[in-house]
Amino acid sequence: MKYIVRKISGYIALFLFPIFIQAQKNTVMNDTARLDSYCDLALTYSESNRDSSIYYSHQALDVAGKLHQTFYQASILSDLGYTLLSNGDYANALNSLLRADSLIELKNISDNIIRTPFFDEFFKIDSPETNRIILKAYIKNSLGLLYGQTGDLERQLKELFEAVQIVQTHITNPNLMYTLTTNIANAYVNMEKLDSALYYQKIVVEIDKTIKNKNYSGASLKAIGDIYLKKGNLDSAKIYYLQALKLLEKSGQNINYMALTMFALADVYRGKRKTDSSLYYANAGLKKYRSLGNEVPEMEESYAALALSFQEKGKYDSAYYYIALAKKFKDNLSEKKLKNLSNFQKIGFDEQLRLKANEEQKIITDNKRRIYLLIAGLGIFFIIAYILFRNNRQKHKANILLQKQKEEIQNQRAELQKSLTELKSTQNQLVQKEKLASLGELTAGIAHEIQNPLNFVNNFSELSVDLVKDINAEINKEAIDKDYVKDLMHDLTSNQEKINHHGKRASSIVKGMLEHSRASTGEREITDINKLADEYLRLSYHGLRAKDKNFNADFKTDFDASLPKINVVPQDIGRVLLNLINNAFYAVNERAKQQLSRTELSEILYIPLVKVSTKKIGETIEIRVK
């Protein structure tokens, strides 16, 4: 019987288990949707209905606790702290912000975060450290505002600039920079440093253009209007207030800033003696403030503004009525503010005591750690001292051996240096001998190259002798033909010029041979590159013809006539050119041989040709061997 009951129970459990699991999943999904809605509503109502914002913040906290979402709890507490301080509840604001600051320091705060549209708007699901930095900056921002509202403006700026430093060092977040920079500008306004305030507020306007969230659109323009109002420039203040109100009404969500802007316009119109306009904006601002909650701190300012507007209009009964309301509200607010400040200071004092206790405990822990480290350090010191002592003895023995080895190495080095000097001398001699050997191989070809100008010299010399004989014969005649003598003299002059030209040609060839055989001095000379290239082209060609009777190739030059003479070492440049041209002749000659062996055509398609060209390009000279 028990077996049958157990069996039936097992089947029932097996049937109900998926239903239970699905119910659990549905509950989690519903709670996630509620968490997202509560967070969004709390943020939306923070500037339009603070009582509702505080209510939804507490609802969101409950759901986040149920889902074990610590990061959401810290974020909600941060937003709640801002709303409470805006409502004048400084003690609870400080308590919320300190709780948020404590949670943000937990190592596992970013683990298993539920993704919601609210989360995606302000944070990144795949970057836990970035999320922690963003939330840390928001908490510091709210703490700064809290210190500012309780009269500690210097500490307000300190918190805000620390938050800016955190953001600029680690992340890029325009929304956060907009908030922080706005509050820095407001702090400078409260400190009466209006130029600094205007500087930062203009930065806010530029940031505002880059952000998607337009909930605070127009607030930065309103702040600039406040600065001009404090400076006494009513016209500029009015322009900025009207622009701000237009943007705020277009968004329709930020009732607090709409009301603030309307009262600012009431002040401007009252200053310009436009009572009707002043009264209109004061009444409109009061209606907006009443929608924020029953006892918002700004109500005192709104009653006072209305009283002044009615006084300007001469309606003293209405003015007296609103003055009485302002005084009554101020007395109630002062009592509440004193109580809040007292609670705020108490919490601040308790927090200081807690921090002091933590600091003392940290000092004790650090002292213990230092003692342990000192003991460990002393032990390590004695071990190192023993090792150093033993190593020192071994090092002393090694130094003696090393000294002997150094002496042997120095002796070997001296011998090697001597051998190296002899080797360099031998190498230089071999190079020179190689040049002379190369020159010997080139002699046959060069002789042919020299023979051409020498033949011209001999031929033109013989012709010149015959011309001189003809001139003498003509002179001895009684009737001299002057025109014929002039023609003979012209031919003689032409022959002498040709003899001079070909004599210089032979001289330059000999000079090139001598330069090739001579060791380079390394001294620069003013050199005609065209002439140098031409000499070594011909030297290479005839040298290869002398070594290989079957060598067959043509050469061509294309020299830039505008090429200037340059300061170079001609022997070094000449050797480079000779090697390049030799390689070129060898390459075209080999290709011609290969083609000749492959083809049976009577006409050879490939004609071996080496072309040497020069060209001036800017401040450089190009020598091309093709």
Side-chain angles (χ1 to χ4, degrees):
M1 186 67 182
K2 288 182 180 179
Y3 173 77
I4 294 171
V5 171
R6 193 182 307 119
K7 195 79 171 174
I8 293 170
S9 300
Y11 284 125
I12 293 170
L14 191 63
F15 175 73
L16 293 177
F17 182 73
I19 299 173
F20 174 76
I21 293 298
Q22 187 61 40
Q24 288 291 96
K25 288 182 179 178
N26 291 338
T27 302
V28 172
M29 289 175 66
N30 290 336
D31 286 340
T32 301
R34 287 168 58 212
L35 176 63
D36 179 62
S37 297
Y38 288 148
C39 289
D40 187 59
L41 286 168
L43 186 63
T44 301
Y45 281 121
S46 64
E47 297 293 354
S48 59
N49 191 318
R50 292 171 189 159
D51 292 338
S52 297
S53 177
I54 293 168
Y55 169 78
Y56 285 117
S57 292
H58 285 293
Q59 295 296 316
L61 275 175
D62 291 340
V63 179
K66 182 180 177 182
L67 294 174
H68 306 290
Q69 290 295 306
T70 312
F71 187 86
Y72 275 92
Q73 288 177 307
S75 176
I76 295 162
L77 285 168
S78 173
D79 293 340
L80 177 60
Y82 173 79
T83 306
L84 288 168
L85 72 89
S86 299
N87 222 26
D89 192 353
Y90 305 134
N92 287 324
L94 180 61
N95 187 45
S96 292
L97 293 172
L98 290 177
R99 284 174 62 194
D101 194 48
S102 177
L103 289 174
I104 201 68
E105 297 300 329
L106 297 176
K107 291 183 179 179
N108 61 342
I109 187 170
S110 298
D111 294 348
N112 303 318
I113 295 177
I114 295 174
R115 187 167 184 177
T116 63
F118 173 82
F119 182 89
D120 289 343
E121 185 175 354
F122 298 99
F123 304 104
K124 297 181 179 179
I125 191 67
D126 57 347
S127 183
E129 183 58 24
T130 300
N131 295 337
R132 197 185 70 80
I133 290 167
I134 292 171
L135 191 50
K136 182 76 174 176
Y138 274 119
I139 293 168
K140 275 193 166 292
N141 172 69
S142 295
L143 281 170
L145 291 176
L146 181 58
Y147 289 127
Q149 290 196 18
T150 53
D152 194 347
L153 297 175
E154 294 294 338
R155 190 165 181 184
Q156 177 185 8
L157 277 178
K158 178 177 177 294
E159 292 287 342
L160 292 173
F161 277 120
E162 283 180 1
V164 169
Q165 183 66 29
I166 290 171
V167 175
Q168 290 180 336
T169 304
H170 298 94
I171 58 175
T172 300
N173 192 313
N175 289 313
L176 191 47
M177 285 302 298
Y178 174 90
T179 301
L180 294 171
T181 313
T182 297
N183 293 330
I184 288 171
N186 291 337
Y188 278 121
V189 169
N190 294 330
M191 296 171 76
E192 298 296 330
K193 296 181 178 180
L194 301 181
D195 290 335
S196 297
L198 189 60
Y199 168 78
Y200 281 101
Q201 203 59 59
K202 286 183 178 179
I203 293 175
V204 175
V205 172
E206 293 303 314
I207 297 174
D208 191 22
K209 296 174 183 177
T210 66
I211 60 179
K212 296 179 181 179
N213 187 352
K214 298 302 180 183
N215 192 29
Y216 285 87
S217 184
S220 55
L221 296 174
K222 188 265 177 190
I224 293 178
D226 290 341
I227 296 169
Y228 279 115
L229 183 61
K230 279 185 172 287
K231 284 176 171 280
N233 189 338
L234 297 179
D235 292 330
S236 295
K238 174 188 168 185
I239 291 169
Y240 279 101
Y241 286 147
L242 289 173
Q243 289 177 356
L245 187 60
K246 184 178 179 180
L247 290 174
L248 288 163
E249 287 177 338
K250 183 179 179 181
S251 171
Q253 296 182 5
N254 203 326
I255 294 173
N256 180 42
Y257 270 95
M258 276 190 250
L260 287 171
T261 307
M262 288 172 179
F263 278 108
L265 280 167
D267 289 340
V268 169
Y269 282 118
R270 189 167 57 253
K272 294 172 76 69
R273 302 293 181 185
K274 294 184 178 181
T275 311
D276 290 337
S277 297
S278 175
L279 190 60
Y280 168 78
Y281 282 109
N283 268 314
L286 181 60
K287 289 178 183 178
K288 295 291 183 185
Y289 270 144
R290 281 175 176 162
S291 67
L292 286 173
N294 293 325
E295 294 185 357
V296 295
E298 295 87 352
M299 292 293 289
E300 178 202 345
E301 180 184 350
S302 62
Y303 289 143
L306 271 171
L308 289 171
S309 296
F310 278 119
Q311 183 182 357
E312 290 287 334
K313 195 152 179 76
K315 295 184 178 182
Y316 298 109
D317 291 340
S318 298
Y320 178 77
Y321 171 74
Y322 282 107
I323 285 174
L325 282 178
K327 184 177 184 304
K328 181 181 178 182
F329 193 85
K330 181 179 181 182
D331 292 340
N332 292 335
L333 193 63
S334 297
E335 183 180 347
K336 182 180 177 182
K337 189 173 183 179
L338 285 172
K339 185 178 178 181
N340 282 334
L341 283 173
S342 176
N343 292 334
F344 169 76
Q345 290 169 353
K346 182 178 181 301
I347 293 174
F349 180 70
D350 291 342
E351 179 65 13
Q352 288 177 357
L353 288 177
R354 186 182 69 81
L355 291 174
K356 185 178 180 182
N358 289 343
E359 189 65 28
E360 289 175 353
Q361 184 61 41
K362 184 180 177 182
I363 291 170
I364 292 170
T365 305
D366 288 344
N367 287 339
K368 287 182 180 179
R369 191 183 298 112
R370 288 193 189 98
I371 291 170
Y372 293 144
L373 289 173
L374 180 61
I375 294 170
L378 287 172
I380 294 170
F381 172 76
F382 285 120
I383 293 170
I384 293 172
Y386 171 74
I387 293 171
L388 289 174
F389 173 74
R390 188 182 65 177
N391 289 348
N392 190 49
R393 290 181 61 188
Q394 293 176 350
K395 188 177 180 181
H396 180 68
K397 293 178 181 178
N399 283 339
I400 296 172
L401 181 62
L402 185 63
Q403 188 62 34
K404 292 180 180 178
Q405 290 176 348
K406 281 183 178 179
E407 291 176 359
E408 292 177 2
I409 289 170
Q410 287 177 354
N411 293 334
Q412 291 174 359
R413 187 177 294 169
E415 292 176 3
L416 286 172
Q417 188 64 38
K418 182 180 178 182
S419 301
L420 182 62
T421 304
E422 293 174 354
L423 182 62
K424 285 183 177 179
S425 176
T426 304
Q427 186 179 18
N428 291 334
Q429 292 174 10
L430 286 172
V431 170
Q432 192 62 23
K433 286 179 180 178
E434 186 179 351
K435 290 179 189 173
L436 293 173
S438 173
L439 184 65
E441 292 178 357
L442 294 173
T443 302
I446 300 305
H448 178 268
E449 182 70 8
I450 295 174
Q451 187 63 44
N452 287 333
L454 288 179
N455 287 339
F456 280 111
V457 169
N458 291 333
N459 291 336
F460 285 119
S461 297
E462 291 174 1
L463 289 172
S464 296
V465 170
D466 291 338
L467 286 170
V468 170
K469 289 178 180 179
D470 290 342
I471 290 169
N472 287 330
E474 188 66 28
I475 289 172
N476 292 327
K477 291 180 180 179
E478 291 181 2
I480 300 173
D481 187 348
K482 291 183 179 181
D483 291 334
Y484 178 60
V485 171
K486 285 181 180 179
D487 290 337
L488 292 175
M489 291 296 291
H490 179 268
D491 291 340
L492 180 61
T493 302
S494 176
N495 287 349
Q496 295 298 322
E497 289 174 352
K498 290 176 181 177
I499 290 168
N500 183 48
H501 169 72
H502 289 290
K504 288 181 179 179
R505 173 76 182 131
S507 176
S508 68
I509 293 169
V510 173
K511 183 181 178 182
M513 292 174 61
L514 292 174
E515 285 182 351
H516 177 69
S517 63
R518 189 185 304 135
S520 175
T521 61
E523 294 182 2
R524 295 174 180 267
E525 299 176 16
I526 299 299
T527 306
D528 185 340
I529 293 296
N530 287 341
K531 186 176 179 182
L532 188 70
D534 184 66
E535 293 288 349
Y536 279 95
L537 174 62
R538 295 176 185 279
L539 190 65
S540 173
Y541 176 77
H542 290 291
L544 291 171
R545 288 287 303 269
K547 290 167 67 175
D548 184 3
K549 297 299 181 184
N550 295 321
F551 173 77
N552 182 28
D554 197 4
F555 63 84
K556 184 180 178 182
T557 60
D558 181 14
F559 294 144
D560 187 347
S562 65
L563 217 64
K565 293 184 178 181
I566 58 172
N567 198 20
V568 296
V569 181
Q571 295 93 335
D572 293 347
I573 297 293
R575 290 191 191 99
V576 172
L577 288 173
L578 186 62
N579 287 333
L580 284 172
I581 296 166
N582 281 343
N583 289 340
F585 274 126
Y586 176 79
V588 298
N589 190 48
E590 286 298 310
R591 182 174 171 187
K593 287 179 182 178
Q594 291 173 6
Q595 181 170 274
L596 190 62
S597 65
R598 287 198 307 267
T599 182
E600 296 178 355
L601 298 174
S602 59
E603 293 183 1
I604 304 301
L605 300 177
Y606 177 73
I607 301 173
L609 171 70
V610 172
K611 180 181 177 182
V612 179
S613 61
T614 60
K615 186 177 182 182
K616 187 175 186 296
I617 304 174
E619 296 298 321
T620 62
I621 291 175
E622 177 188 86
I623 306 173
R624 185 182 293 264
V625 179
K626 182 178 180 181

